[in-house]
Amino acid sequence: MTTAREIMTPDATCIGAADSILDAAKKMTDLGVGALPICGTDQRLKGMLTDRDIVVKVLGAGKDPATCTAGELAQGEAVTIGADDDAAEILRTMSAHKVRRLPVIDGHTLVGVVAQADVARALPDPQVGELLEALSS
């Protein structure tokens, strides 16, 4: 069975919880990504920051992206997947939490991110279709 470790995008780059949203946006631009894991000073995952979060929760709310921090947007415990969890667990977790990206954890260490696109490339069409339907409803 395919595992998260096999289909993830490795070496996920974090944004620090104390870093500004402006810095996060620049990092997203430089990396060509739409989301970054938020990591604390202890290097533990605090959440995920998406480009949509920046638009809706910062710009749309009239906040200053230069003074608002990534940590301010980390909400509760991040939804993650274990590196050795199988594809069925990835699909179940993404569907249940309606998330398009899952940080991949090995112990307490962030080792990568499984995105909806990774799932689409790695799994059979019927499974991908079910995931897309679950995320769209």
Side-chain angles (χ1 to χ4, degrees):
M1 180 56 91
T2 304
T3 65
R5 189 183 310 274
E6 293 170 320
I7 66 171
M8 71 182 188
T9 300
D11 304 323
T13 301
C14 284
I15 189 72
D19 292 342
S20 75
I21 295 299
L22 183 58
D23 289 338
K26 288 177 182 177
K27 189 175 274 195
M28 284 181 186
T29 300
D30 292 345
L31 296 171
V33 298
L36 292 171
I38 303 169
C39 294
T41 55
D42 58 1
Q43 292 307 306
R44 291 200 179 193
L45 185 68
K46 304 298 181 193
M48 287 291 286
L49 176 68
T50 67
D51 46 10
R52 186 174 194 284
D53 291 332
I54 293 172
V55 171
V56 173
K57 297 175 182 174
V58 179
L59 300 176
K63 295 180 181 177
D64 181 358
T67 60
C68 183
T69 66
E72 290 175 47
L73 300 185
Q75 297 177 341
E77 192 168 326
V79 176
T80 63
I81 193 83
D84 296 317
D85 287 347
D86 65 22
E89 184 62 22
I90 294 167
L91 293 170
R92 211 173 8 261
T93 303
M94 285 182 149
S95 297
H97 295 279
K98 295 199 180 279
V99 294
R100 289 175 165 75
R101 299 169 190 92
L102 279 175
V104 180
I105 304 295
D106 191 355
H108 291 292
T109 305
L110 176 69
V111 294
V113 174
V114 171
Q116 185 176 334
D118 298 321
V119 172
R121 281 190 294 272
L123 300 181
D125 288 345
Q127 289 178 308
V128 174
E130 290 171 16
L131 175 61
L132 291 174
E133 184 177 329
L135 293 177
S136 298
S137 59

